[in-house]
Amino acid sequence: IPVSNHLVDFAVKFVQNTRPTNENAPDITKKYIHWGAGPRASSYLIIAAKAMAALSGRPTPDESDVISVIKPILRHRIIPNFNAEAEGIKSDDILDEILKNN
């Protein structure tokens, strides 16, 4: 299943935005994430997006497919820090905020 370069860039940028050491990461990442997703997470986002497109009968995935699999793919790949845990902020909350800023 072919994937556009734009979609790959979208997935890579999103995963990079989960890393607090990334200078371009949003403030929510720097404030609440101890450890972000690794490079393979981008690959898994694309693979899952391809599967979503195939199951929907479409020849290629789009951003909505990647967005639909962000939480299941990344929620266990990011580690919230103490501040997040103390404030009751979960991985899904952080991913939602990153998505708004992406």
Side-chain angles (χ1 to χ4, degrees), residues 47-85:
I47 290 168
K50 286 180 177 186
M52 295 295 290
L55 290 170
S56 299
R58 290 180 282 116
T60 187
D62 58 25
E63 276 189 25
S64 66
D65 293 311
V66 174
I67 291 169
S68 72
V69 297
I70 281 176
K71 287 181 186 177
I73 299 289
L74 297 181
R75 74 169 46 112
H76 71 283
R77 295 177 190 276
I78 64 171
I79 300 172
N81 62 20
F82 176 78
N83 294 332
E85 290 182 26

PDB file of all heavy atoms in Angstrom, residues 47-85:
ATOM      1  N   ILE A  47       2.268   1.678   9.498  1.00  0.00           N
ATOM      2  CA  ILE A  47       1.759   0.318   9.255  1.00  0.00           C
ATOM      3  C   ILE A  47       0.297   0.209   9.676  1.00  0.00           C
ATOM      4  O   ILE A  47      -0.541  -0.343   8.953  1.00  0.00           O
ATOM      5  CB  ILE A  47       2.630  -0.726   9.989  1.00  0.00           C
ATOM      6  CG1 ILE A  47       4.009  -0.817   9.326  1.00  0.00           C
ATOM      7  CG2 ILE A  47       1.953  -2.094  10.010  1.00  0.00           C
ATOM      8  CD1 ILE A  47       5.034  -1.587  10.139  1.00  0.00           C
ATOM      9  N   ALA A  48      -0.025   0.749  10.843  1.00  0.00           N
ATOM     10  CA  ALA A  48      -1.412   0.702  11.325  1.00  0.00           C
ATOM     11  C   ALA A  48      -2.330   1.538  10.437  1.00  0.00           C
ATOM     12  O   ALA A  48      -3.471   1.155  10.167  1.00  0.00           O
ATOM     13  CB  ALA A  48      -1.487   1.175  12.769  1.00  0.00           C
ATOM     14  N   ALA A  49      -1.836   2.681   9.960  1.00  0.00           N
ATOM     15  CA  ALA A  49      -2.639   3.519   9.063  1.00  0.00           C
ATOM     16  C   ALA A  49      -2.909   2.790   7.746  1.00  0.00           C
ATOM     17  O   ALA A  49      -4.014   2.872   7.194  1.00  0.00           O
ATOM     18  CB  ALA A  49      -1.924   4.845   8.798  1.00  0.00           C
ATOM     19  N   LYS A  50      -1.927   2.048   7.251  1.00  0.00           N
ATOM     20  CA  LYS A  50      -2.129   1.242   6.037  1.00  0.00           C
ATOM     21  C   LYS A  50      -3.215   0.196   6.275  1.00  0.00           C
ATOM     22  O   LYS A  50      -4.073  -0.024   5.415  1.00  0.00           O
ATOM     23  CB  LYS A  50      -0.828   0.532   5.637  1.00  0.00           C
ATOM     24  CG  LYS A  50       0.207   1.418   5.026  1.00  0.00           C
ATOM     25  CD  LYS A  50       1.430   0.564   4.679  1.00  0.00           C
ATOM     26  CE  LYS A  50       2.515   1.340   4.002  1.00  0.00           C
ATOM     27  NZ  LYS A  50       3.623   0.456   3.564  1.00  0.00           N
ATOM     28  N   ALA A  51      -3.170  -0.429   7.434  1.00  0.00           N
ATOM     29  CA  ALA A  51      -4.180  -1.439   7.756  1.00  0.00           C
ATOM     30  C   ALA A  51      -5.569  -0.810   7.830  1.00  0.00           C
ATOM     31  O   ALA A  51      -6.542  -1.390   7.321  1.00  0.00           O
ATOM     32  CB  ALA A  51      -3.834  -2.125   9.076  1.00  0.00           C
ATOM     33  N   MET A  52      -5.669   0.367   8.429  1.00  0.00           N
ATOM     34  CA  MET A  52      -6.966   1.056   8.512  1.00  0.00           C
ATOM     35  C   MET A  52      -7.503   1.376   7.120  1.00  0.00           C
ATOM     36  O   MET A  52      -8.686   1.188   6.847  1.00  0.00           O
ATOM     37  CB  MET A  52      -6.838   2.346   9.331  1.00  0.00           C
ATOM     38  CG  MET A  52      -6.483   2.130  10.784  1.00  0.00           C
ATOM     39  SD  MET A  52      -7.748   1.261  11.709  1.00  0.00           S
ATOM     40  CE  MET A  52      -9.019   2.492  11.756  1.00  0.00           C
ATOM     41  N   ALA A  53      -6.630   1.845   6.248  1.00  0.00           N
ATOM     42  CA  ALA A  53      -7.050   2.157   4.876  1.00  0.00           C
ATOM     43  C   ALA A  53      -7.509   0.893   4.154  1.00  0.00           C
ATOM     44  O   ALA A  53      -8.547   0.884   3.487  1.00  0.00           O
ATOM     45  CB  ALA A  53      -5.918   2.835   4.114  1.00  0.00           C
ATOM     46  N   ALA A  54      -6.741  -0.181   4.297  1.00  0.00           N
ATOM     47  CA  ALA A  54      -7.084  -1.437   3.625  1.00  0.00           C
ATOM     48  C   ALA A  54      -8.431  -1.963   4.129  1.00  0.00           C
ATOM     49  O   ALA A  54      -9.266  -2.419   3.338  1.00  0.00           O
ATOM     50  CB  ALA A  54      -5.987  -2.469   3.851  1.00  0.00           C
ATOM     51  N   LEU A  55      -8.638  -1.896   5.438  1.00  0.00           N
ATOM     52  CA  LEU A  55      -9.902  -2.375   6.004  1.00  0.00           C
ATOM     53  C   LEU A  55     -11.089  -1.523   5.561  1.00  0.00           C
ATOM     54  O   LEU A  55     -12.221  -1.998   5.531  1.00  0.00           O
ATOM     55  CB  LEU A  55      -9.823  -2.411   7.529  1.00  0.00           C
ATOM     56  CG  LEU A  55      -8.905  -3.486   8.109  1.00  0.00           C
ATOM     57  CD1 LEU A  55      -8.707  -3.277   9.599  1.00  0.00           C
ATOM     58  CD2 LEU A  55      -9.463  -4.872   7.821  1.00  0.00           C
ATOM     59  N   SER A  56     -10.807  -0.280   5.222  1.00  0.00           N
ATOM     60  CA  SER A  56     -11.861   0.626   4.750  1.00  0.00           C
ATOM     61  C   SER A  56     -12.025   0.581   3.233  1.00  0.00           C
ATOM     62  O   SER A  56     -12.853   1.303   2.680  1.00  0.00           O
ATOM     63  CB  SER A  56     -11.539   2.063   5.172  1.00  0.00           C
ATOM     64  OG  SER A  56     -11.487   2.158   6.569  1.00  0.00           O
ATOM     65  N   GLY A  57     -11.211  -0.236   2.568  1.00  0.00           N
ATOM     66  CA  GLY A  57     -11.306  -0.376   1.120  1.00  0.00           C
ATOM     67  C   GLY A  57     -10.685   0.766   0.339  1.00  0.00           C
ATOM     68  O   GLY A  57     -11.004   0.964  -0.828  1.00  0.00           O
ATOM     69  N   ARG A  58      -9.786   1.519   0.989  1.00  0.00           N
ATOM     70  CA  ARG A  58      -9.125   2.624   0.303  1.00  0.00           C
ATOM     71  C   ARG A  58      -7.726   2.207  -0.124  1.00  0.00           C
ATOM     72  O   ARG A  58      -7.076   1.417   0.565  1.00  0.00           O
ATOM     73  CB  ARG A  58      -9.065   3.848   1.220  1.00  0.00           C
ATOM     74  CG  ARG A  58     -10.446   4.459   1.426  1.00  0.00           C
ATOM     75  CD  ARG A  58     -10.438   5.673   2.340  1.00  0.00           C
ATOM     76  NE  ARG A  58     -10.341   5.205   3.735  1.00  0.00           N
ATOM     77  CZ  ARG A  58      -9.321   5.452   4.544  1.00  0.00           C
ATOM     78  NH1 ARG A  58      -8.319   6.195   4.149  1.00  0.00           N
ATOM     79  NH2 ARG A  58      -9.322   4.976   5.766  1.00  0.00           N
ATOM     80  N   PRO A  59      -7.251   2.741  -1.244  1.00  0.00           N
ATOM     81  CA  PRO A  59      -5.954   2.314  -1.766  1.00  0.00           C
ATOM     82  C   PRO A  59      -4.751   2.873  -1.001  1.00  0.00           C
ATOM     83  O   PRO A  59      -3.651   2.325  -1.107  1.00  0.00           O
ATOM     84  CB  PRO A  59      -5.947   2.825  -3.199  1.00  0.00           C
ATOM     85  CG  PRO A  59      -6.871   3.995  -3.183  1.00  0.00           C
ATOM     86  CD  PRO A  59      -7.928   3.660  -2.160  1.00  0.00           C
ATOM     87  N   THR A  60      -4.938   3.941  -0.261  1.00  0.00           N
ATOM     88  CA  THR A  60      -3.824   4.549   0.469  1.00  0.00           C
ATOM     89  C   THR A  60      -4.340   5.258   1.723  1.00  0.00           C
ATOM     90  O   THR A  60      -5.467   5.769   1.727  1.00  0.00           O
ATOM     91  CB  THR A  60      -3.047   5.536  -0.445  1.00  0.00           C
ATOM     92  OG1 THR A  60      -1.884   5.992   0.226  1.00  0.00           O
ATOM     93  CG2 THR A  60      -3.899   6.696  -0.875  1.00  0.00           C
ATOM     94  N   PRO A  61      -3.557   5.293   2.789  1.00  0.00           N
ATOM     95  CA  PRO A  61      -4.011   5.945   4.016  1.00  0.00           C
ATOM     96  C   PRO A  61      -3.886   7.463   3.944  1.00  0.00           C
ATOM     97  O   PRO A  61      -3.156   8.002   3.110  1.00  0.00           O
ATOM     98  CB  PRO A  61      -3.080   5.380   5.089  1.00  0.00           C
ATOM     99  CG  PRO A  61      -1.845   4.991   4.362  1.00  0.00           C
ATOM    100  CD  PRO A  61      -2.284   4.598   2.977  1.00  0.00           C
ATOM    101  N   ASP A  62      -4.598   8.140   4.835  1.00  0.00           N
ATOM    102  CA  ASP A  62      -4.475   9.587   4.951  1.00  0.00           C
ATOM    103  C   ASP A  62      -4.252   9.945   6.424  1.00  0.00           C
ATOM    104  O   ASP A  62      -4.147   9.064   7.271  1.00  0.00           O
ATOM    105  CB  ASP A  62      -5.688  10.306   4.355  1.00  0.00           C
ATOM    106  CG  ASP A  62      -7.005   9.894   4.984  1.00  0.00           C
ATOM    107  OD1 ASP A  62      -7.010   9.444   6.151  1.00  0.00           O
ATOM    108  OD2 ASP A  62      -8.042  10.025   4.321  1.00  0.00           O
ATOM    109  N   GLU A  63      -4.188  11.243   6.715  1.00  0.00           N
ATOM    110  CA  GLU A  63      -3.913  11.680   8.083  1.00  0.00           C
ATOM    111  C   GLU A  63      -4.929  11.154   9.085  1.00  0.00           C
ATOM    112  O   GLU A  63      -4.583  10.850  10.223  1.00  0.00           O
ATOM    113  CB  GLU A  63      -3.862  13.213   8.168  1.00  0.00           C
ATOM    114  CG  GLU A  63      -2.537  13.786   7.791  1.00  0.00           C
ATOM    115  CD  GLU A  63      -2.442  15.280   8.086  1.00  0.00           C
ATOM    116  OE1 GLU A  63      -3.166  15.782   8.983  1.00  0.00           O
ATOM    117  OE2 GLU A  63      -1.648  15.931   7.413  1.00  0.00           O
ATOM    118  N   SER A  64      -6.178  11.052   8.678  1.00  0.00           N
ATOM    119  CA  SER A  64      -7.199  10.567   9.619  1.00  0.00           C
ATOM    120  C   SER A  64      -6.911   9.136  10.064  1.00  0.00           C
ATOM    121  O   SER A  64      -7.227   8.763  11.201  1.00  0.00           O
ATOM    122  CB  SER A  64      -8.591  10.674   9.007  1.00  0.00           C
ATOM    123  OG  SER A  64      -8.727   9.792   7.908  1.00  0.00           O
ATOM    124  N   ASP A  65      -6.290   8.349   9.193  1.00  0.00           N
ATOM    125  CA  ASP A  65      -5.925   6.981   9.580  1.00  0.00           C
ATOM    126  C   ASP A  65      -4.815   6.998  10.635  1.00  0.00           C
ATOM    127  O   ASP A  65      -4.865   6.241  11.606  1.00  0.00           O
ATOM    128  CB  ASP A  65      -5.476   6.177   8.360  1.00  0.00           C
ATOM    129  CG  ASP A  65      -6.604   5.940   7.377  1.00  0.00           C
ATOM    130  OD1 ASP A  65      -7.692   5.507   7.813  1.00  0.00           O
ATOM    131  OD2 ASP A  65      -6.406   6.197   6.184  1.00  0.00           O
ATOM    132  N   VAL A  66      -3.831   7.853  10.446  1.00  0.00           N
ATOM    133  CA  VAL A  66      -2.753   7.962  11.433  1.00  0.00           C
ATOM    134  C   VAL A  66      -3.320   8.464  12.756  1.00  0.00           C
ATOM    135  O   VAL A  66      -3.030   7.911  13.819  1.00  0.00           O
ATOM    136  CB  VAL A  66      -1.620   8.887  10.931  1.00  0.00           C
ATOM    137  CG1 VAL A  66      -0.582   9.112  12.029  1.00  0.00           C
ATOM    138  CG2 VAL A  66      -0.948   8.309   9.695  1.00  0.00           C
ATOM    139  N   ILE A  67      -4.142   9.483  12.694  1.00  0.00           N
ATOM    140  CA  ILE A  67      -4.722  10.049  13.912  1.00  0.00           C
ATOM    141  C   ILE A  67      -5.543   8.999  14.663  1.00  0.00           C
ATOM    142  O   ILE A  67      -5.508   8.940  15.898  1.00  0.00           O
ATOM    143  CB  ILE A  67      -5.555  11.301  13.575  1.00  0.00           C
ATOM    144  CG1 ILE A  67      -4.625  12.430  13.119  1.00  0.00           C
ATOM    145  CG2 ILE A  67      -6.413  11.732  14.758  1.00  0.00           C
ATOM    146  CD1 ILE A  67      -5.330  13.620  12.503  1.00  0.00           C
ATOM    147  N   SER A  68      -6.239   8.157  13.934  1.00  0.00           N
ATOM    148  CA  SER A  68      -7.083   7.148  14.588  1.00  0.00           C
ATOM    149  C   SER A  68      -6.284   6.088  15.342  1.00  0.00           C
ATOM    150  O   SER A  68      -6.830   5.419  16.219  1.00  0.00           O
ATOM    151  CB  SER A  68      -8.011   6.487  13.565  1.00  0.00           C
ATOM    152  OG  SER A  68      -7.288   5.628  12.707  1.00  0.00           O
ATOM    153  N   VAL A  69      -5.013   5.929  15.014  1.00  0.00           N
ATOM    154  CA  VAL A  69      -4.201   4.906  15.683  1.00  0.00           C
ATOM    155  C   VAL A  69      -3.146   5.480  16.616  1.00  0.00           C
ATOM    156  O   VAL A  69      -2.379   4.733  17.216  1.00  0.00           O
ATOM    157  CB  VAL A  69      -3.546   3.948  14.654  1.00  0.00           C
ATOM    158  CG1 VAL A  69      -4.606   3.182  13.887  1.00  0.00           C
ATOM    159  CG2 VAL A  69      -2.608   4.672  13.715  1.00  0.00           C
ATOM    160  N   ILE A  70      -3.122   6.799  16.763  1.00  0.00           N
ATOM    161  CA  ILE A  70      -2.090   7.417  17.606  1.00  0.00           C
ATOM    162  C   ILE A  70      -2.149   6.896  19.040  1.00  0.00           C
ATOM    163  O   ILE A  70      -1.130   6.473  19.586  1.00  0.00           O
ATOM    164  CB  ILE A  70      -2.185   8.961  17.554  1.00  0.00           C
ATOM    165  CG1 ILE A  70      -1.541   9.456  16.261  1.00  0.00           C
ATOM    166  CG2 ILE A  70      -1.536   9.603  18.774  1.00  0.00           C
ATOM    167  CD1 ILE A  70      -1.642  10.943  16.029  1.00  0.00           C
ATOM    168  N   LYS A  71      -3.311   6.925  19.654  1.00  0.00           N
ATOM    169  CA  LYS A  71      -3.389   6.499  21.055  1.00  0.00           C
ATOM    170  C   LYS A  71      -3.052   5.020  21.242  1.00  0.00           C
ATOM    171  O   LYS A  71      -2.244   4.690  22.116  1.00  0.00           O
ATOM    172  CB  LYS A  71      -4.755   6.837  21.636  1.00  0.00           C
ATOM    173  CG  LYS A  71      -4.937   8.309  21.883  1.00  0.00           C
ATOM    174  CD  LYS A  71      -6.301   8.580  22.486  1.00  0.00           C
ATOM    175  CE  LYS A  71      -6.567  10.057  22.602  1.00  0.00           C
ATOM    176  NZ  LYS A  71      -7.919  10.313  23.108  1.00  0.00           N
ATOM    177  N   PRO A  72      -3.650   4.115  20.450  1.00  0.00           N
ATOM    178  CA  PRO A  72      -3.299   2.704  20.662  1.00  0.00           C
ATOM    179  C   PRO A  72      -1.816   2.396  20.417  1.00  0.00           C
ATOM    180  O   PRO A  72      -1.249   1.538  21.085  1.00  0.00           O
ATOM    181  CB  PRO A  72      -4.166   1.953  19.646  1.00  0.00           C
ATOM    182  CG  PRO A  72      -5.255   2.874  19.279  1.00  0.00           C
ATOM    183  CD  PRO A  72      -4.727   4.258  19.478  1.00  0.00           C
ATOM    184  N   ILE A  73      -1.195   3.118  19.493  1.00  0.00           N
ATOM    185  CA  ILE A  73       0.209   2.848  19.183  1.00  0.00           C
ATOM    186  C   ILE A  73       1.144   3.518  20.182  1.00  0.00           C
ATOM    187  O   ILE A  73       2.174   2.951  20.555  1.00  0.00           O
ATOM    188  CB  ILE A  73       0.557   3.345  17.748  1.00  0.00           C
ATOM    189  CG1 ILE A  73      -0.279   2.638  16.696  1.00  0.00           C
ATOM    190  CG2 ILE A  73       2.044   3.194  17.466  1.00  0.00           C
ATOM    191  CD1 ILE A  73       0.044   1.194  16.460  1.00  0.00           C
ATOM    192  N   LEU A  74       0.822   4.731  20.624  1.00  0.00           N
ATOM    193  CA  LEU A  74       1.773   5.505  21.415  1.00  0.00           C
ATOM    194  C   LEU A  74       1.520   5.552  22.917  1.00  0.00           C
ATOM    195  O   LEU A  74       2.431   5.888  23.673  1.00  0.00           O
ATOM    196  CB  LEU A  74       1.837   6.948  20.880  1.00  0.00           C
ATOM    197  CG  LEU A  74       2.336   7.112  19.459  1.00  0.00           C
ATOM    198  CD1 LEU A  74       2.372   8.588  19.086  1.00  0.00           C
ATOM    199  CD2 LEU A  74       3.708   6.494  19.274  1.00  0.00           C
ATOM    200  N   ARG A  75       0.328   5.231  23.373  1.00  0.00           N
ATOM    201  CA  ARG A  75       0.029   5.442  24.802  1.00  0.00           C
ATOM    202  C   ARG A  75       0.982   4.693  25.716  1.00  0.00           C
ATOM    203  O   ARG A  75       1.307   5.163  26.804  1.00  0.00           O
ATOM    204  CB  ARG A  75      -1.419   5.128  25.131  1.00  0.00           C
ATOM    205  CG  ARG A  75      -1.787   3.696  25.177  1.00  0.00           C
ATOM    206  CD  ARG A  75      -3.182   3.450  25.785  1.00  0.00           C
ATOM    207  NE  ARG A  75      -4.203   4.326  25.292  1.00  0.00           N
ATOM    208  CZ  ARG A  75      -5.231   3.935  24.527  1.00  0.00           C
ATOM    209  NH1 ARG A  75      -5.341   2.669  24.173  1.00  0.00           N
ATOM    210  NH2 ARG A  75      -6.128   4.793  24.132  1.00  0.00           N
ATOM    211  N   HIS A  76       1.449   3.541  25.314  1.00  0.00           N
ATOM    212  CA  HIS A  76       2.375   2.795  26.165  1.00  0.00           C
ATOM    213  C   HIS A  76       3.837   3.097  25.834  1.00  0.00           C
ATOM    214  O   HIS A  76       4.731   2.584  26.490  1.00  0.00           O
ATOM    215  CB  HIS A  76       2.110   1.288  26.041  1.00  0.00           C
ATOM    216  CG  HIS A  76       2.505   0.714  24.735  1.00  0.00           C
ATOM    217  ND1 HIS A  76       1.744   0.871  23.600  1.00  0.00           N
ATOM    218  CD2 HIS A  76       3.607   0.012  24.355  1.00  0.00           C
ATOM    219  CE1 HIS A  76       2.351   0.268  22.591  1.00  0.00           C
ATOM    220  NE2 HIS A  76       3.481  -0.247  23.015  1.00  0.00           N
ATOM    221  N   ARG A  77       4.074   3.940  24.826  1.00  0.00           N
ATOM    222  CA  ARG A  77       5.445   4.267  24.427  1.00  0.00           C
ATOM    223  C   ARG A  77       5.945   5.578  25.036  1.00  0.00           C
ATOM    224  O   ARG A  77       7.113   5.900  24.892  1.00  0.00           O
ATOM    225  CB  ARG A  77       5.546   4.353  22.908  1.00  0.00           C
ATOM    226  CG  ARG A  77       5.282   3.033  22.224  1.00  0.00           C
ATOM    227  CD  ARG A  77       5.335   3.193  20.713  1.00  0.00           C
ATOM    228  NE  ARG A  77       4.868   2.021  20.037  1.00  0.00           N
ATOM    229  CZ  ARG A  77       5.608   0.953  19.762  1.00  0.00           C
ATOM    230  NH1 ARG A  77       6.871   0.929  20.107  1.00  0.00           N
ATOM    231  NH2 ARG A  77       5.081  -0.074  19.130  1.00  0.00           N
ATOM    232  N   ILE A  78       5.055   6.330  25.656  1.00  0.00           N
ATOM    233  CA  ILE A  78       5.497   7.543  26.336  1.00  0.00           C
ATOM    234  C   ILE A  78       5.343   7.340  27.837  1.00  0.00           C
ATOM    235  O   ILE A  78       4.410   6.676  28.289  1.00  0.00           O
ATOM    236  CB  ILE A  78       4.739   8.805  25.856  1.00  0.00           C
ATOM    237  CG1 ILE A  78       3.259   8.733  26.180  1.00  0.00           C
ATOM    238  CG2 ILE A  78       4.966   9.042  24.384  1.00  0.00           C
ATOM    239  CD1 ILE A  78       2.516  10.033  25.913  1.00  0.00           C
ATOM    240  N   ILE A  79       6.272   7.899  28.572  1.00  0.00           N
ATOM    241  CA  ILE A  79       6.242   7.750  30.019  1.00  0.00           C
ATOM    242  C   ILE A  79       6.018   9.126  30.636  1.00  0.00           C
ATOM    243  O   ILE A  79       6.884  10.001  30.534  1.00  0.00           O
ATOM    244  CB  ILE A  79       7.564   7.140  30.538  1.00  0.00           C
ATOM    245  CG1 ILE A  79       7.768   5.765  29.914  1.00  0.00           C
ATOM    246  CG2 ILE A  79       7.558   7.064  32.065  1.00  0.00           C
ATOM    247  CD1 ILE A  79       9.115   5.151  30.208  1.00  0.00           C
ATOM    248  N   PRO A  80       4.846   9.320  31.236  1.00  0.00           N
ATOM    249  CA  PRO A  80       4.585  10.601  31.902  1.00  0.00           C
ATOM    250  C   PRO A  80       5.536  10.781  33.093  1.00  0.00           C
ATOM    251  O   PRO A  80       5.924   9.811  33.748  1.00  0.00           O
ATOM    252  CB  PRO A  80       3.139  10.487  32.377  1.00  0.00           C
ATOM    253  CG  PRO A  80       2.539   9.409  31.535  1.00  0.00           C
ATOM    254  CD  PRO A  80       3.666   8.459  31.236  1.00  0.00           C
ATOM    255  N   ASN A  81       5.873  12.034  33.382  1.00  0.00           N
ATOM    256  CA  ASN A  81       6.764  12.300  34.512  1.00  0.00           C
ATOM    257  C   ASN A  81       5.958  12.462  35.808  1.00  0.00           C
ATOM    258  O   ASN A  81       4.734  12.308  35.818  1.00  0.00           O
ATOM    259  CB  ASN A  81       7.648  13.521  34.235  1.00  0.00           C
ATOM    260  CG  ASN A  81       6.871  14.801  34.040  1.00  0.00           C
ATOM    261  OD1 ASN A  81       5.722  14.922  34.438  1.00  0.00           O
ATOM    262  ND2 ASN A  81       7.511  15.773  33.414  1.00  0.00           N
ATOM    263  N   PHE A  82       6.654  12.800  36.873  1.00  0.00           N
ATOM    264  CA  PHE A  82       6.012  12.943  38.172  1.00  0.00           C
ATOM    265  C   PHE A  82       4.948  14.036  38.152  1.00  0.00           C
ATOM    266  O   PHE A  82       3.886  13.887  38.762  1.00  0.00           O
ATOM    267  CB  PHE A  82       7.058  13.241  39.253  1.00  0.00           C
ATOM    268  CG  PHE A  82       6.452  13.486  40.594  1.00  0.00           C
ATOM    269  CD1 PHE A  82       6.024  12.420  41.370  1.00  0.00           C
ATOM    270  CD2 PHE A  82       6.266  14.775  41.070  1.00  0.00           C
ATOM    271  CE1 PHE A  82       5.440  12.633  42.605  1.00  0.00           C
ATOM    272  CE2 PHE A  82       5.679  15.005  42.307  1.00  0.00           C
ATOM    273  CZ  PHE A  82       5.266  13.932  43.081  1.00  0.00           C
ATOM    274  N   ASN A  83       5.232  15.154  37.477  1.00  0.00           N
ATOM    275  CA  ASN A  83       4.263  16.252  37.419  1.00  0.00           C
ATOM    276  C   ASN A  83       2.938  15.784  36.817  1.00  0.00           C
ATOM    277  O   ASN A  83       1.867  16.136  37.315  1.00  0.00           O
ATOM    278  CB  ASN A  83       4.803  17.434  36.602  1.00  0.00           C
ATOM    279  CG  ASN A  83       5.980  18.091  37.262  1.00  0.00           C
ATOM    280  OD1 ASN A  83       6.115  18.072  38.479  1.00  0.00           O
ATOM    281  ND2 ASN A  83       6.856  18.670  36.458  1.00  0.00           N
ATOM    282  N   ALA A  84       3.012  15.016  35.757  1.00  0.00           N
ATOM    283  CA  ALA A  84       1.796  14.514  35.111  1.00  0.00           C
ATOM    284  C   ALA A  84       1.032  13.593  36.058  1.00  0.00           C
ATOM    285  O   ALA A  84      -0.190  13.714  36.203  1.00  0.00           O
ATOM    286  CB  ALA A  84       2.138  13.785  33.818  1.00  0.00           C
ATOM    287  N   GLU A  85       1.746  12.696  36.686  1.00  0.00           N
ATOM    288  CA  GLU A  85       1.088  11.773  37.603  1.00  0.00           C
ATOM    289  C   GLU A  85       0.472  12.504  38.790  1.00  0.00           C
ATOM    290  O   GLU A  85      -0.637  12.191  39.213  1.00  0.00           O
ATOM    291  CB  GLU A  85       2.078  10.712  38.072  1.00  0.00           C
ATOM    292  CG  GLU A  85       2.458   9.754  36.950  1.00  0.00           C
ATOM    293  CD  GLU A  85       3.407   8.658  37.408  1.00  0.00           C
ATOM    294  OE1 GLU A  85       3.398   8.320  38.609  1.00  0.00           O
ATOM    295  OE2 GLU A  85       4.133   8.140  36.551  1.00  0.00           O
TER     296      GLU A  85
END
